[in-house]
């Protein structure tokens, strides 16, 4: 069956860094666009970053541009989100999503930015 498993979340101080990973199985990862979303308490889920199947093109939300980097390793069926210069407003549950004709979601990983 399809599985997307996120990892790498945690508690970090403002200005710190985290690297999220999402490992996929059960579908053709290398043909799927991959994206990261986040949802803060009381807010709607929002798109953070997306990368096409080959990894050649990526796009970011304005709020994370220049601080976050999305990348993928198709040989390992894994997509990453490198998050630098973290701010308290980055606190949220982060989800990865795979899209190719249909969408698959991971279960999410909590990121908390606090001193």
């Amino acid at each position: 069956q399809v599985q997307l498993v996120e990892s790498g979340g945690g508690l970090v101080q403002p200005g710190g860094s985290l690297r999220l990973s999402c490992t996929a199985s059960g579908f053709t990862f290398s043909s799927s666009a991959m994206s990261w979303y986040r949802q803060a308490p009381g807010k709607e889920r929002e798109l953070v970053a997306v990368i096409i199947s080959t990894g050649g093109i990526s796009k970011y939300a304005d709020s994370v541009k220049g601080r976050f980097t999305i990348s993928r390793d198709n040989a390992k069926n894994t997509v990453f989100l490198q998050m630098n210069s973290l701010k308290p407003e980055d606190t949220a549950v982060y989800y990865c999503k795979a899209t190719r004709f249909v969408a698959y979601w991971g279960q999410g990983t909590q990121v908390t930015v606090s001193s």
Side-chain angles (χ1 to χ4, degrees), residues 27-99:
F27 64 99
T28 308
F29 178 86
S30 60
S31 297
S32 303
M34 297 298 298
S35 48
W36 287 96
Y37 283 72
R38 67 186 181 186
Q39 188 166 19
K43 295 189 176 181
E44 292 188 356
R45 192 172 296 190
E46 63 173 352
L47 176 65
V48 174
V50 59
I51 188 167
I52 66 170
S53 59
T54 61
I57 298 174
S58 56
K59 293 192 179 295
Y60 299 88
D62 287 344
S63 58
V64 307
K65 212 170 285 185
R67 300 188 296 122
F68 290 10
T69 303
I70 189 170
S71 62
R72 64 190 296 160
D73 184 341
N74 284 349
K76 296 182 178 179
N77 284 6
T78 301
V79 62
F80 304 97
L81 185 68
Q82 178 66 44
M83 304 186 296
N84 299 328
S85 302
L86 283 161
K87 304 175 181 180
E89 51 263 43
D90 295 317
T91 295
V93 178
Y94 284 70
Y95 300 89
C96 69
K97 175 186 172 184
T99 306

